Amino acid sequence: PQAVMSEIESMFGVKDSSKGPPDYYLGNDYKRDQKGRWCIGCKKYLKEALTRVENLMGSFQKQGRPMEANDHPEEDTSNILNDDMHRKYQMLIGMLNWLVTIGRIDIAYAVSSMSRFSSCPREGHLTRVMKVFGYLKKYPNRRIVVDSADPIIEGDLSTIEIDYVDAFRDFYPDAHEEIDVNIPTPRIDEM
């Protein structure tokens, strides 16, 4: 395989895996915290995105939340954006959608709400989108922590020990598990 990899490396920029685990890939930052857990964030991508948005739209303020409570953007009656601002709106929504995809799930609802207006956005919608970027500007370092430790279960364990097959047999008497005949044989004991 090294001969093939050498040929690929001669044509494309390939990250050398011998230098350790990845630290940046497709907009995500990867690192381990003090407890050894993987932390996945997008601070580097977000910093670049915020700089691009400020260059495109001008300076904007930090915000404490991505969207106001009880906001109804569908009732917005402000002016419809011109063609140039419409394209910018769609670009901003695309950047926000990518941020949600790579881990900023804290803005998912606001981005989803504002994505609905991509075909005909209004000035008020653009203001709301800029508020999401203001929130990201205030909280750029949110990340997802992947912890492989066993979960901590508090309280009564009887809820996780219920045999749901028996519990639902009265409701679904003809139900049975379909097992693919082509399923591969496990290489390890599953129990």
Side-chain angles (χ1 to χ4, degrees), residues 10 43 50 58 63 70 94 101 105 113 130 146 155 159-161 179 188:
S10 71
K43 187 175 182 179
L50 291 173
Q63 300 290 328
N70 300 316
T101 300
I105 56 176
S113 295
M130 293 307 296
V146 181
T159 57
I160 62 172
E161 295 172 353
I179 299 177
I188 60 171

Side-chain angles (χ1 to χ4, degrees), residues 58-179:
S59 172
F60 53 92
Q61 294 181 349
K62 294 179 179 180
Q63 300 290 328
R65 57 186 126 167
M67 192 173 196
E68 291 297 323
N70 300 316
D71 186 23
H72 294 279
E74 67 278 2
E75 296 175 355
D76 192 305
T77 59
S78 60
N79 293 330
I80 294 175
L81 296 176
N82 63 33
D83 288 344
D84 181 50
M85 293 306 288
H86 186 166
R87 280 189 291 278
K88 289 178 181 177
Y89 182 90
Q90 290 175 331
M91 184 192 74
L92 295 172
I93 290 294
M95 292 168 79
L96 290 172
N97 273 317
W98 182 246
L99 282 162
V100 171
T101 300
I102 63 175
R104 286 305 298 261
I105 56 176
D106 53 333
I107 62 168
Y109 179 76
V111 174
S112 174
S113 295
M114 299 319 302
S115 293
R116 297 181 300 158
F117 306 102
S118 292
S119 63
C120 190
R122 297 178 175 271
E123 291 172 355
H125 299 143
L126 181 59
T127 301
R128 290 173 175 92
V129 166
M130 293 307 296
K131 184 176 179 80
V132 177
F133 278 105
Y135 171 78
L136 293 168
K137 186 176 183 179
K138 184 171 183 175
Y139 301 106
N141 201 23
R142 301 278 168 99
R143 43 185 67 243
I144 296 173
V145 177
V146 181
D147 190 352
S148 62
D150 289 334
I152 298 169
I153 301 172
E154 297 176 355
D156 185 18
L157 298 180
S158 64
T159 57
I160 62 172
E161 295 172 353
I162 296 173
D163 182 3
Y164 287 100
V165 173
D166 291 334
F168 285 98
R169 186 158 288 141
D170 293 339
F171 298 105
Y172 304 100
D174 299 330
H176 67 280
E177 182 177 4
E178 295 179 11
I179 299 177

